[in-house]
Amino acid sequence: MKITVVGAGAVGATTADNIIRRELAEEVVLLDIKEGVAEGKSLDMYQTAALLGFNTLPVGSTNDYEKTKGSDVVVITSGLPRKPGMTREELIGVNADIVKSVTQNILKYSPKAILVIVSNPMDTMTYLAFREAGVPKKRIIGMGGALDSARFKTYLALEMGVTPNDINGMVIGGHGDTTMIPLTRLATYNGIPVSRFLSEDKLAKIAADTMVGGATLTKLIGTSAWYAPGAATAFIVESIVRNQKRIVPCSVYLNGEYGQKDIFMGVPVVIGRNGWEKIINLRLSEKEKAAFAKSAEAVRAMNAVLPA
Ligand code: NAI
């Protein structure tokens, strides 16, 4: 198994670190346009092998796509991150050019790869990658819901004073501060609805905090977060390479599912060796359905800004 991570910045390097520690591949190629950065970070990571005991080889590359040849999975994190006060949507112009050229270069050397798109605005960048790649839809996966759901579970756990490991919960819809939909109605603590433990007001506050979870961190840190984004991306990659069939909300191509067509949005999918295998059709309430339709409108408006 060979995995490439494009973009050796905060999220890309953290993703690669998670992948090598878990030995998800024999080789992990980290590629960036910044001279020497991917090579340096790869060597730094490999120097942890003698301490941590893994057997995956990280390889750095400054824009040499030849090194990515024959990758089974490719993660795309290249692009600008948010600064405090910025929305993900403001990144569209610059990141569209980057994601477009990266997708073309990657497919030249790894025509069979499964692509996991992280760059923001993620739903639109995933749509763009799909358009450029011209590969079966099941091989294009946008990472957003895995992270937003982890944030949702964390806020629930903190409020309840329990471990996030005992919480189940999902965030669907677009991956934006106003477009994501934390499904409080379906969240559980060891199988018991969290509404048995938390008031409606508390749940509404947790949903609101989840939606601005990324912005809260950007304000605190001064730039966009990386630990949970890197772990969430590796979580998806792990389900692919180990064929775990995890159900993860991911941005995938909708063709009538959830009442939407020709759009990438976050919905629960089964992730396995061939990419996403199946969309899980949740029975949404009328309110949730309306929220999903509104979210789709915002994602569609963003897609419309993409250069032809
Ligand atoms: P960063 O600035 O630390 O790293 C981005 C890297 O991409 C830089 O090292 C840069 O040199 C590289 N890059 C730029 N153009 C490139 C090209 N053409 N080819 C190869 N590499 C190129 O940014 P960070 O924090 O790692 O974020 C990366 C992206 O991921 C941003 O767009 C950010 O908004 C997004 N993001 C998405 C999340 C999600 O849930 N989908 C979560 C967190 C971040």
Side-chain angles (χ1 to χ4, degrees):
M1 189 69 61
K2 177 169 172 175
I3 299 172
T4 286
V5 179
V6 182
V11 176
T14 311
T15 300
D17 191 37
N18 276 285
I19 290 171
I20 59 170
R21 282 176 194 237
R22 269 134 94 177
E23 298 185 313
L24 299 184
E26 283 78 48
E27 190 182 334
V28 174
V29 179
L30 191 57
L31 181 146
D32 203 287
I33 40 163
K34 275 191 213 144
E35 190 70 41
V37 170
E39 288 86 340
K41 289 198 180 180
S42 298
L43 184 57
D44 189 13
M45 276 179 221
Y46 203 34
Q47 287 165 0
T48 69
L51 303 162
L52 301 174
F54 59 80
N55 283 301
T56 291
L57 177 68
V59 174
S61 161
T62 303
N63 235 17
D64 176 5
Y65 280 86
E66 184 92 40
K67 288 203 174 134
T68 68
K69 194 173 176 175
S71 294
D72 300 284
V73 182
V74 176
V75 176
I76 300 182
T77 75
S78 44
L80 295 190
R82 291 201 276 180
K83 293 289 171 215
M86 267 177 107
T87 64
R88 294 175 178 90
E89 288 76 10
E90 286 174 72
L91 301 168
I92 191 164
V94 176
N95 286 357
D97 286 346
I98 295 174
V99 169
K100 190 173 168 178
S101 73
V102 167
T103 303
Q104 288 164 349
N105 284 325
I106 280 297
L107 284 164
K108 230 181 275 167
Y109 292 94
S110 305
K112 293 191 179 146
I114 294 166
L115 304 188
V116 180
I117 316 298
V118 180
S119 310
N120 271 319
M122 182 278 294
D123 301 293
T124 299
M125 292 302 114
T126 310
Y127 183 81
L128 172 68
F130 176 64
R131 216 176 67 179
E132 288 308 312
V135 302
K137 62 184 178 183
K138 297 199 170 182
R139 281 169 43 197
I140 309 277
I141 300 171
M143 192 294 287
L147 169 63
D148 300 330
S149 301
R151 286 179 173 154
F152 181 40
K153 290 180 204 176
T154 306
Y155 281 122
L156 282 166
L158 285 170
E159 184 61 42
M160 294 172 69
V162 303
T163 163
N165 298 322
D166 282 348
I167 302 287
N168 249 300
M170 205 182 277
V171 177
I172 61 169
H175 175 62
D177 294 358
T178 56
T179 58
M180 69 179 79
I181 307 161
L183 293 173
T184 46
R185 186 178 61 88
L186 300 178
T188 62
Y189 169 43
N190 278 320
I192 305 161
V194 291
S195 55
R196 291 270 298 272
F197 306 94
L198 297 171
S199 67
E200 252 180 54
D201 283 356
K202 284 242 162 78
L203 284 173
K205 163 93 170 56
I206 288 166
D209 286 347
T210 301
M211 293 173 80
V212 295
T216 301
L217 293 175
T218 304
K219 204 164 149 203
L220 287 169
I221 304 170
T223 187
S224 168
W226 57 88
Y227 291 115
T233 309
F235 186 79
I236 292 173
V237 172
E238 183 173 33
S239 195
I240 297 170
V241 304
R242 298 205 203 281
N243 201 19
Q244 286 172 319
K245 320 274 184 190
R246 277 176 171 153
I247 293 178
V248 189
C250 292
S251 191
V252 298
Y253 187 77
L254 299 182
N255 189 23
E257 299 90 349
Y258 288 82
Q260 299 298 328
K261 267 193 168 180
D262 194 34
I263 192 168
F264 274 77
M265 280 182 75
V267 295
V269 287
V270 177
I271 305 269
R273 186 60 200 87
N274 299 312
W276 66 266
E277 297 182 352
K278 186 167 136 187
I279 293 177
I280 306 294
N281 209 347
L282 296 171
R283 279 197 205 112
L284 298 182
S285 67
E286 288 309 312
K287 203 172 148 203
E288 289 157 354
K289 276 186 198 159
F292 198 90
K294 194 163 165 242
S295 179
E297 260 175 49
V299 173
R300 233 179 260 290
M302 188 62 42
N303 292 350
V305 180
L306 279 175

